Amino acid sequence: MTTATSAWLVWSAGEAGPRAPSRQAALAWWTVAVIVRSGYVPLAFGGRQFWAARADSVLLCVVMAHYASLARRVDQTAAALAVPEIAWTAFATVLSAAVAGKNS
């Protein structure tokens, strides 16, 4: 829910100055995050492909961190709302690695 609110804040913000990233750039990275996020559950729980799920969560962590850095220059609250997902995804990465290691 916080990432959707974050994207809404970016979407509804005015365009920033010429050196700041555009709202569209931030929202493009948010869209990539939504797509990447949709892969974790099928990989981890559907296919029990824990190493692939870990790779997916690492990618999501990177994408969300980049989104947050772009969002910060558009709307600081939007960037702050992305932090819980980054933290949760980092935890999921560690958890996926532990599960993969025990099931190898």
Side-chain angles (χ1 to χ4, degrees):
M1 182 69 149
T2 60
T3 56
T5 303
S6 173
W8 179 80
L9 288 172
V10 169
W11 179 75
S12 63
E15 280 298 330
R19 295 173 49 136
S22 68
R23 293 179 304 144
Q24 287 78 20
L27 292 173
W29 280 93
W30 182 82
T31 302
V32 170
V34 169
I35 293 166
V36 172
R37 185 181 310 113
S38 69
Y40 183 82
V41 170
L43 288 170
F45 300 108
R48 300 184 51 85
Q49 299 174 8
F50 300 117
W51 288 112
R54 179 183 166 271
D56 183 82
S57 62
V58 167
L59 180 60
L60 180 57
C61 218
V62 170
V63 169
M64 280 303 295
H66 188 67
Y67 163 75
S69 73
L70 294 175
R72 180 179 55 82
R73 294 191 251 158
V74 175
D75 184 285
Q76 298 239 340
T77 303
L81 287 170
V83 172
E85 172 136 6
I86 296 167
W88 172 251
T89 304
F91 172 72
T93 300
V94 172
L95 184 62
S96 295
V99 170
K102 290 195 180 279
N103 288 295
S104 292

